[in-house]
Amino acid sequence: MISFVIPVYNERESLATLLDELAGMAASENLGPVEFLFIDDGSRDGSWRVIQDLTTRDPRVRAIRFRRNFGKAAALTAGFSRAKGEIVFTLDADLQDDPAEVPRFLELLNRGEGLDVISGWKRTRHDPWHKVFPSRVFNRMVSRLTGTHLHDHNCGFKCYRSEVLREVFIYGELHRFVPVLASARGFRVGEIEVNHRSRQFGQSKYGFSRFFKGFLDLMTVRFLTGYGQRPQHVLGVLGLILLAIGALGMGYLAVYWIVDHWILNQDHPIGSRPLLTYSTALLVVGTQLVSLGILAELVTSYNLRAEDTYSVAEEIDSDADSEASASLANDSPSPSSA
């Protein structure tokens, strides 16, 4: 089965057209069993009534309605947890993602390259320049800092194998970083150019503040993928660096005072020197970072599950196979009894 997970937020005008395009594509391409999951993320324009009509029109449509707007990551998480398909697509409900691209995703997924996640790349975008340019800068920064090189991390048109979604947990606004989180777990990530259509209804849900939030989310993802299971390695190292610099400053002031007071018999006070203030601040902050790192390690050790530390691609249990074979042999009738 193939599942299509579609977050919805005030997209009443486009929902029926989107379902018609998806259903027509599935029929023409003989995709087999499919399901369409619409997650209404607290819409206020009557989107839920339209979705209810779609469920009566097509039994393959399933729907979830949130009590209020919880965000796209929450909507995707709800859809992922209920998706029955071995392959899961995500796409926006505003008709800018073209369902005709789905067969190309599947072709790349089954090509034999071992890909687990395929992200869309809107190479030609039909958006204003003040959204396109910052997005490209952001995508380059994400690729460089995370090591997952994609041209369009923000694209909502993506394809996943179901095992990826069983291991990757998203919250807040980390939905755009699912390929990064999947890559950190060892899954193979690729991308494909997709057709990006002009907006027909409504307006974009993202403003300029999205890029500030995206940068903060990038810092979170970088920490989670690099140091999520060893927070002391970043907090402790930074704290030790600050402690060392502060100790050097204090050491310099101590030697200066000894030489000035005992050898040169002069009296130049060091209490008003800026270096004393800076060194003291560095020692305090460094100590706090090391202490915070220790606390983070304690929290991690108490909450980390064993299965969170690895990702199994395949397993062969020879002992279990031997026991199963022995049990089968014991249950089989002997030649004499036959």
Side-chain angles (χ1 to χ4, degrees):
M1 177 178 286
I2 297 177
S3 300
F4 294 90
V5 176
I6 307 163
V8 176
Y9 183 60
N10 295 336
E11 305 286 358
R12 176 174 56 87
E13 297 92 344
S14 61
L15 295 177
T17 302
L18 177 60
L19 178 61
D20 290 340
E21 291 187 0
L22 286 171
M25 177 275 303
S28 63
E29 297 293 334
N30 296 318
L31 295 187
V34 296
E35 64 174 357
F36 310 105
L37 279 77
F38 290 89
I39 300 91
D40 183 2
D41 186 21
S43 298
R44 293 290 181 264
D45 69 336
S47 293
W48 181 246
R49 290 193 297 273
V50 176
I51 294 174
Q52 288 178 310
D53 293 338
L54 297 180
T55 59
T56 59
R57 195 177 83 184
D58 190 331
R60 297 172 298 180
V61 175
R62 301 166 60 200
I64 304 168
R65 181 175 68 88
F66 288 172
R67 298 184 185 277
R68 64 171 179 85
N69 179 245
F70 285 94
K72 191 172 183 178
L76 290 175
T77 299
F80 292 160
S81 66
R82 292 162 174 80
K84 300 177 181 178
E86 291 82 13
I87 298 174
V88 179
F89 280 88
T90 63
L91 67 161
D92 295 334
D94 56 11
L95 297 179
Q96 289 193 277
D97 295 330
D98 188 355
E101 300 286 356
V102 168
R104 297 180 59 241
F105 276 91
L106 296 174
E107 179 184 357
L108 180 58
L109 192 69
N110 298 321
R111 189 175 293 175
E113 299 178 8
L115 294 178
D116 303 295
V117 180
I118 301 176
S119 179
W121 172 19
K122 297 174 288 188
R123 188 168 193 169
T124 303
R125 292 186 57 174
H126 298 281
D127 288 321
W129 70 268
H130 61 272
K131 292 185 178 181
V132 174
F133 178 73
S135 180
R136 288 177 178 172
V137 173
F138 178 77
N139 284 316
R140 290 177 182 176
M141 184 169 54
V142 173
S143 296
R144 182 177 294 272
L145 291 179
T146 64
T148 304
H149 296 280
L150 298 175
H151 290 88
D152 194 355
H153 289 268
N154 291 317
C155 182
F157 203 177
K158 292 182 173 68
C159 174
Y160 307 92
R161 296 190 189 275
S162 59
E163 54 264 30
V164 175
L165 305 177
R166 288 195 293 267
E167 294 197 22
V168 175
F169 172 69
I170 57 176
Y171 61 92
E173 295 189 13
L174 300 186
H175 51 274
R176 63 177 64 91
F177 297 109
V178 174
V180 174
L181 298 172
S183 178
R185 297 287 294 174
F187 293 105
R188 297 194 60 185
V189 177
E191 68 177 349
I192 186 172
E193 291 187 33
V194 295
N195 177 37
H196 186 236
R197 303 187 293 191
S198 300
R199 177 177 291 275
Q200 300 182 34
F201 306 102
Q203 58 185 358
S204 175
K205 308 302 187 298
Y206 300 101
F208 191 74
S209 62
R210 169 191 184 185
F211 301 104
F212 293 102
K213 296 177 181 177
F215 180 74
L216 295 175
D217 290 334
L218 174 58
M219 294 175 60
T220 300
V221 169
R222 183 67 185 92
F223 184 84
L224 290 176
T225 56
Y227 305 97
Q229 298 176 16
R230 43 195 177 98
Q232 184 70 294
H233 284 203
V234 61
L235 297 174
V237 168
L238 183 57
L240 290 176
I241 292 174
L242 296 183
L243 285 172
I245 297 175
L248 287 175
M250 286 296 190
Y252 169 79
L253 291 175
V255 172
Y256 174 85
W257 184 84
I258 292 174
V259 172
D260 182 71
H261 187 75
W262 294 100
I263 298 178
L264 300 179
N265 294 319
Q266 298 179 3
D267 189 14
H268 296 107
I270 63 173
S272 59
R273 294 175 66 94
L275 182 60
L276 178 63
T277 303
Y278 295 147
S279 299
T280 302
L282 288 172
L283 290 174
V284 172
V285 174
T287 301
Q288 290 178 335
L289 285 175
V290 172
S291 302
L292 184 61
I294 294 174
L295 291 176
E297 289 283 351
L298 289 174
V299 172
T300 302
S301 66
Y302 278 106
N303 292 280
L304 188 67
R305 300 174 300 174
E307 57 268 27
D308 292 333
T309 61
Y310 55 82
S311 176
V312 177
E314 191 174 355
E315 183 174 359
I316 299 176
D317 191 344
S318 57
D319 292 336
D321 293 341
S322 300
E323 292 178 3
S325 300
S327 176
L328 184 62
N330 293 333
D331 292 339
S332 302
S334 63
S336 56
S337 63

